[in-house]
Amino acid sequence: MARFMIDKYGVLEMNRAEYLKQGMIVSQTPLGEEFTEEKPCENGMWVDANKANDEIKLYSAETEILGIVYTAEKDFTGWRPALKHFAQKKGDYPRVGILNVGDTFTTNTFSYDFAGETVAEQWQELKDAFEAGPLYLAPTVGEGAPTVTAEKPAEGPYAQVVKLYTVPAGTPGIKYVMMRV
């Protein structure tokens, strides 16, 4: 699996997020050591949001509380636009929403079994797969970006891709709805 080619970091648009109304937000828990300068925490990642761990971790087989990172982009230099230029690493405090069935997001934070080496080639592969039948997202152990697959997961959390779209930063992305958490 490979990450969808993007310029810098993932972007997330919350189309419908129940956790905002319910207050199911984790915001005072630091990122674990898995998040480094080379593999930072990006908006749109699915993470282990169990506060009892005393840190936000990557998804694992033991994950009981699945969350999505939606930290407001910050740039203290004032020299670059914030969208797609923002990520966090160990010790930073992300904002994580606890996922619910029906939550809907648009993002470019996902992985897929891409053969193409350019954004245009990868986007065409994704369009062809979407037109061939339904696509789903499922978390992958040790990865923050959920994986797009044509096979509906038999167990565990998953979402269904409802539209190929554009993220707020103006780049290609997908719109999906949570089906099971």
Side-chain angles (χ1 to χ4, degrees):
M1 295 294 154
R3 262 302 281 282
F4 180 62
M5 291 181 68
I6 55 176
D7 178 31
K8 254 344 197 174
Y9 304 115
V11 175
L12 177 75
E13 177 181 2
M14 296 178 291
N15 303 112
R16 180 193 177 280
E18 191 67 26
Y19 54 79
L20 294 171
K21 286 195 281 186
Q22 296 175 343
M24 297 298 293
I25 298 166
V26 177
S27 61
Q28 294 299 313
T29 306
L31 288 169
E33 62 188 35
E34 303 150 314
F35 298 99
T36 63
E37 198 74 41
E38 295 78 35
K39 272 187 91 170
C41 180
E42 303 174 40
N43 281 324
M45 286 187 162
W46 292 8
V47 295
D48 183 337
N50 187 348
K51 286 186 75 142
N53 294 334
D54 290 327
E55 64 183 8
I56 301 296
K57 299 179 176 185
L58 288 171
Y59 179 83
S60 71
E62 291 81 39
T63 296
E64 294 178 12
I65 301 174
L66 186 64
I68 189 167
V69 177
Y70 76 100
T71 308
E73 295 87 356
K74 299 171 184 74
D75 178 26
F76 300 107
T77 66
W79 291 100
R80 63 177 180 235
L83 284 177
K84 81 178 180 179
H85 291 280
F86 179 76
Q88 295 178 301
K89 59 187 181 308
K90 178 187 176 200
D92 290 338
Y93 291 84
R95 182 160 290 171
V96 178
I98 307 303
L99 290 168
N100 290 285
V101 171
D103 287 349
T104 307
F105 304 98
T106 303
T107 188
N108 56 6
T109 305
F110 62 90
S111 297
Y112 185 69
D113 192 9
F114 289 111
E117 296 182 14
T118 67
V119 173
E121 290 171 341
Q122 289 184 350
W123 189 243
Q124 189 59 51
E125 287 178 53
L126 206 54
K127 284 170 71 174
D128 293 344
F130 184 72
E131 290 170 4
L135 293 177
Y136 304 94
L137 277 94
T140 302
V141 172
E143 295 293 325
T147 302
V148 174
T149 178
E151 187 175 324
K152 182 178 178 181
E155 57 186 36
Y158 78 94
Q160 184 170 353
V161 177
V162 294
K163 189 176 188 179
L164 301 183
Y165 213 50
T166 305
V167 298
T171 59
I174 59 174
K175 184 175 189 175
Y176 64 86
V177 61
M178 294 302 300
M179 302 300 286
R180 185 172 55 219
V181 290

